[in-house]
Amino acid sequence: MSMKNKKLTLVLFLVVCTALTSAQVSSSPGYVGTLFHRVRPVMQLPGPAHLEDFVKDGKLRLRLDDALLLTLENNADVSVDRGQYDLSRFALQRAYGPFDPSITAGFAPTRSVSPTTSSLQGAATLSSLIQTSNVDYAQQFQTGTLFGAGLNTTRSTTNSSFATVNPSFSSGLTFSLQQPLWRNGSIFANRAPIIIAQRGIRQSRATFQAQVSDVVERAINQYWDVVEARKNLEVIRKSVELADATYKQDKRALELGALPPLEIYRSESQVAQKKIALIQAEYNLKRVEDTLRQTIGADLDPRIGALDLDLTENAEASSTLAAVDLSDILNQALKSRSEIEAQHQQLSIDDVNVRVANNNLKPDLSLSASYTSNGLGGVSFANSATGPVVISNGGFGDSLAQLAGFNFPTYGMSLQLRLPLRNRAAAADLGSALVSKKNDLYKMRSLEQTISTEVKNSVHDLEQSELIITAAQTSRDLAAKTLSAEERKYQLGAGTIFFVLDAQNQLSAAELALVQSHIAYQRALAEVDHASGSILAKHNLSVGP
């Protein structure tokens, strides 16, 4: 076949296939992107984002919301969880794979030379060349219909004197349809993988949102850990200063002879004990600061990681404490928690799997139909006494012209039924789908019970922290008054240094308890927000589309 004839064959077939595929391409979401998109491997991870925006006066100054924003931007756990969510999107792209059209082209020349055994074969040595070209198009639609179109041409040449068309061009344009009528005969049965993938995306998004909520709650607690450690350090420093002042006062009294020599050891021991607590508090602060730096990604930049943290949130609760209603919080949690949404999507996937398993139990009944238009062209000869005479000069173009006229059709249809006497595999798949759905229903019940317990515990913790704040404030005030009274009595000679030092210890413990009660209240608020599923919305955070 000449190069010109090959091009004509390909052009005719592409015109037919383009009209057939245009509707499918336009109706398949992301098809063009799927065809041309290439995922390039990421060779280098991005650096920490937005840290420079929070550097003020040589410190990393952060509000609570700033720390949470940096956590979503830079935390490695969030990035890993987001990657799992992104992978689920490719599952949807893969589910459209069976409906992608395909084009297959081929060219197969065959040369045959053989001796003859009869003069009727038209030559002493029969030589023939057969060149077959074909272009086929296949497309499956979401209705289960399998459509095919193919253009094939065979060019034959021979040295047989009895050949009346030599060379000859035999062409055929075939259209075929195959439609399942029972099993896989509905749109749902063929779209089931797509539906599962779509719900899998929603499930992955809900799971990712739940994971982000956990990370945000952990970041909030780490933020307040730093605030608490600093407040504790301030209280302990204050207690060291107070103990040191008492020791210096006793040392001066000892020098003046107003204090027995053995009494100085008590206040000196108090100073030593307070310094031990101070050292422990300083290193505990460094530890919790490093943990927070890792969470927000500050440790990824050596320069910013070396800066001091300046946390601006006030841990002290306002005069108006949060008022929560247990029943309202519980109802909100059962509606808003991402874990509930993820489990709902899993139950929806189970329903699809049950329907697919039921479909696979049906007999396989399919209808097939085909239509072929034939054409023939070439150089025609007629035998005469003087030898072959050329009647007409034709070629590949004549063959294509006859195809377009549809004057030489071949068509037919078939109906096929496959009825398995037993289908144990499909029955087992149905049983597995039903058991999976039952298990997921129990998981939903267990999840609802767990969330209910979390909500109740968080509300109780918040109520408890509110009561403890009031009691701790009263205890701190009374401890301060007690210390003042003991110091006054000691100065007047009516008291001993033991009671003064004990009052100092009581005041330090009361101040630490007050700091811890305020931090516990802030943590309880975060716990209520997390349990109710509103922690991201409260801090204006979103996990994206």
Side-chain angles (χ1 to χ4, degrees):
M1 183 186 295
S2 67
M3 184 61 66
K4 181 178 180 181
N5 290 339
K6 292 180 183 178
K7 290 182 178 180
L8 288 173
T9 303
L10 183 60
V11 167
L12 177 62
F13 179 73
L14 289 179
V15 169
V16 175
C17 292
T18 300
L20 295 173
T21 58
S22 59
Q24 175 67 17
V25 170
S26 62
S27 62
S28 297
Y31 177 82
V32 176
T34 302
L35 189 62
F36 295 104
H37 180 64
R38 295 293 182 268
V39 179
R40 297 181 179 177
V42 178
M43 302 305 295
Q44 185 175 2
L45 295 176
H50 302 304
L51 286 172
E52 293 283 354
D53 299 339
F54 302 101
V55 177
K56 305 291 183 182
D57 301 327
K59 295 182 179 181
L60 189 60
R61 183 173 299 171
L62 299 173
R63 298 179 298 113
L64 177 59
D65 288 345
D66 298 335
L68 298 183
L69 177 62
L70 290 175
T71 298
L72 293 189
E73 292 287 344
N74 302 324
N75 188 264
D77 292 338
V78 174
S79 299
V80 171
D81 295 336
R82 182 182 289 113
Q84 295 300 318
Y85 168 48
D86 292 337
L87 285 176
S88 65
R89 302 184 183 183
F90 291 101
L92 177 60
Q93 182 177 343
R94 188 178 299 108
Y96 279 99
F99 308 110
D100 292 339
S102 63
I103 294 178
T104 305
F107 175 67
T110 302
R111 167 72 71 176
S112 174
V113 178
S114 61
T116 61
T117 59
S118 172
S119 61
L120 297 178
Q121 291 180 274
T125 300
L126 187 63
S127 176
S128 62
L129 174 63
I130 301 176
Q131 296 171 302
T132 302
S133 302
N134 68 284
V135 182
D136 297 308
Y137 169 85
Q139 169 75 63
Q140 182 176 359
F141 298 93
Q142 296 180 17
T143 57
T145 306
L146 180 61
F147 172 79
L151 175 63
N152 63 84
T153 298
T154 301
R155 181 181 185 271
S156 299
T157 59
T158 181
N159 63 347
S160 174
S161 60
F162 295 110
T164 58
V165 180
N166 189 26
S168 65
F169 297 88
S170 301
S171 299
L173 179 61
T174 302
F175 300 94
S176 63
L177 286 174
Q178 182 177 354
Q179 175 63 50
L181 300 179
W182 205 338
R183 182 194 302 178
N184 298 328
S186 65
I187 293 181
F188 172 82
N190 294 281
R191 280 185 52 85
I194 298 175
I195 296 173
I196 291 176
Q198 290 172 338
R199 291 176 179 171
I201 290 178
R202 291 194 287 267
Q203 182 184 29
S204 297
R205 186 182 189 280
T207 301
F208 176 48
Q209 188 168 349
Q211 293 167 337
V212 171
S213 298
D214 294 339
V215 173
V216 167
E217 184 189 22
R218 185 169 70 245
I220 292 174
N221 289 330
Q222 291 171 356
Y223 186 96
W224 291 120
D225 285 343
V226 176
V227 174
E228 180 182 16
R230 288 189 175 180
K231 292 290 184 180
N232 288 344
L233 184 60
E234 292 175 4
V235 171
I236 293 175
R237 281 176 177 168
K238 182 180 177 181
S239 67
V240 170
E241 294 173 357
L242 192 59
D244 190 59
T246 301
Y247 169 68
K248 290 179 179 179
Q249 182 180 356
D250 288 352
K251 187 176 180 180
R252 179 62 177 167
L254 178 64
E255 293 173 352
L256 297 175
L259 184 70
L262 297 179
E263 292 293 330
I264 192 65
Y265 297 118
R266 190 182 299 276
S267 59
E268 188 175 7
S269 174
Q270 179 87 334
V271 172
Q273 293 176 2
K274 295 295 184 182
K275 286 184 178 179
I276 293 175
L278 179 63
I279 294 172
Q280 293 174 339
E282 288 175 345
Y283 278 90
N284 179 63
L285 176 60
K286 292 180 180 180
R287 179 180 60 81
V288 295
E289 283 183 338
D290 289 341
T291 301
L292 181 60
R293 287 190 181 96
Q294 179 183 355
T295 298
I296 64 177
D299 61 330
L300 300 176
D301 189 328
R303 185 182 65 83
I304 295 181
L307 300 179
D308 292 334
L309 296 178
D310 182 13
L311 307 186
T312 61
E313 293 291 339
N314 184 12
E316 296 183 3
S318 60
S319 57
T320 304
L321 299 178
V324 295
D325 183 82
L326 178 58
S327 60
D328 292 341
I329 297 295
L330 182 57
N331 291 333
Q332 180 181 354
L334 295 178
K335 294 179 181 178
S336 304
R337 283 287 290 265
S338 300
E339 295 91 335
I340 296 288
E341 173 62 20
Q343 194 62 24
H344 276 306
Q345 295 301 328
Q346 182 59 51
L347 289 173
S348 298
I349 292 175
D350 291 337
D351 290 335
V352 175
N353 288 331
V354 170
R355 292 182 63 181
V356 170
N358 277 312
N359 170 77
N360 291 336
L361 285 171
K362 298 177 180 179
D364 189 4
L365 178 65
S366 61
L367 175 66
S368 301
S370 64
Y371 180 91
T372 303
S373 178
N374 301 296
L376 178 65
V379 180
S380 298
F381 294 88
N383 293 323
S384 64
T386 59
V389 178
V390 176
I391 299 176
S392 64
N393 284 314
F396 181 58
D398 297 323
S399 176
L400 295 182
Q402 291 181 10
L403 289 183
F406 296 97
N407 294 321
F408 305 99
T410 301
Y411 48 87
M413 64 172 293
S414 66
L415 188 65
Q416 183 176 4
L417 174 64
R418 180 176 175 272
L419 183 63
L421 299 180
R422 296 189 67 176
N423 196 342
R424 300 181 185 182
D429 291 341
L430 176 59
S432 299
L434 292 173
V435 171
S436 296
K437 181 178 180 180
K438 182 179 179 180
N439 289 339
D440 288 332
L441 286 172
Y442 278 112
K443 289 179 181 179
M444 175 65 83
R445 177 194 291 180
S446 176
L447 180 60
E448 290 175 346
Q449 290 175 319
T450 301
I451 291 177
S452 177
T453 301
E454 289 179 2
V455 170
K456 293 175 182 177
N457 290 338
S458 66
V459 172
H460 294 160
D461 289 343
L462 182 61
E463 294 172 346
Q464 177 184 346
S465 63
E466 292 175 353
L467 298 175
I468 291 178
I469 287 177
T470 303
Q473 183 65 52
T474 302
S475 176
R476 190 267 176 201
D477 294 340
L478 292 175
K481 292 178 181 179
T482 300
L483 176 60
S484 179
E486 292 297 335
E487 288 177 340
R488 182 62 176 164
K489 288 193 295 182
Y490 180 67
Q491 292 171 359
L492 295 176
T496 63
I497 189 61
F498 172 81
F499 293 106
V500 174
L501 297 178
D502 183 66
Q504 289 178 357
N505 290 333
Q506 294 295 330
L507 177 59
S508 177
E511 289 180 339
L512 287 176
L514 180 59
V515 169
Q516 292 170 357
S517 65
H518 284 295
I519 298 297
Y521 176 77
Q522 299 296 338
R523 288 175 176 155
L525 280 177
E527 185 182 359
V528 170
D529 293 334
H530 179 267
S532 63
S534 61
I535 191 169
L536 297 181
K538 180 177 181 179
H539 296 282
N540 298 318
L541 300 175
S542 174
V543 299

